[in-house]
Amino acid sequence: MKNDSAVFRRHREALARRLSDGLIVLSGAVPVPRNFDVEYPFRQGSHFLYLSGVQDAGCHLMIDPRRGEEILFIPRIDNNHRVWLGHVPDAAESKRLYGFDRVLYADEAPAALRRARKGYKRLYADSAATSRFRSELSGLAPRRARLQDCLEDLRAVKSPGELALMKRAGEVSSRAHREVMKKTRPGMREYEVQAVFEAACLR
């Protein structure tokens, strides 16, 4: 799926307008280990994806409505890690990909949050961000329910860009279902039918 960074920027701007009296901080999903060094397939948190378009694990974002600043924080990945994960965008590439004003590394987030919180009394953060940055955000009045309500309201109304993505997903799914109907035969196992569907989607 092509990442249209302008769509996600509009989402962030809409949220900032609704929650202009506080600092907004969200954390993306992290890998979930299955056993030893094997992890379950990664799925980004829905709210985080809605605001950022970022599919990578271990990221955070901050929106400072008063100063009009948005920062994406990404993990600092070394070359040894890339041997196992393949290419991982660095800060400069992530800035181009996702359309953020600034992209910093996750180990720079504590200092950036301490600077950004000045002048605010309220905090709009999800539970993961509140836990991860407990000391940096302590003293701000948390409004987690208000953040959740605003995000649910915004996500209920789809923009033209979102509608285009949903239409594209429907077209892909429709073709995959037709492929399944053509290739399904008596005696096939469910996993074989699933493989036909997923292969059609990937194509």
Side-chain angles (χ1 to χ4, degrees), residues 27-113:
S27 289
V30 296
V32 177
R34 191 179 73 185
N35 51 54
F36 300 105
D37 61 348
V38 179
E39 298 167 347
Y40 287 103
F42 177 74
R43 184 186 185 281
Q44 184 61 277
S46 297
H47 288 332
F48 192 87
L49 184 62
Y50 173 80
L51 292 172
S52 69
V54 176
Q55 296 274 12
D56 300 319
C59 298
H60 316 276
L61 71 86
M62 183 203 77
I63 303 172
D64 182 345
R66 182 172 297 163
R67 301 174 182 88
E69 185 176 45
E70 304 170 341
I71 303 178
L72 173 67
F73 301 99
I74 63 172
R76 194 184 293 273
I77 304 296
D78 61 23
N79 288 329
N80 290 329
H81 204 164
R82 287 186 172 90
V83 170
W84 301 101
L85 294 181
H87 177 72
V88 178
D90 61 13
E93 185 178 355
S94 294
K95 185 175 180 179
R96 292 193 303 272
L97 281 174
Y98 302 121
F100 276 80
D101 300 325
R102 296 178 66 197
V103 176
L104 301 175
Y105 290 104
D107 54 22
E108 299 175 285
L113 291 173

Side-chain angles (χ1 to χ4, degrees), residues 125-137:
D126 59 17
S127 57
T130 303
S131 176
R132 170 68 177 79
F133 302 110
R134 182 177 288 109
S135 62
E136 291 81 11
L137 300 173

Side-chain angles (χ1 to χ4, degrees), residues 8 41 50 95 115 117 141 203:
F8 303 105
Y50 173 80
K95 185 175 180 179
R115 288 192 299 269
R117 63 169 291 168
R203 278 197 302 273

Side-chain angles (χ1 to χ4, degrees), residues 1 25 131:
M1 181 183 72
V25 186
S131 176

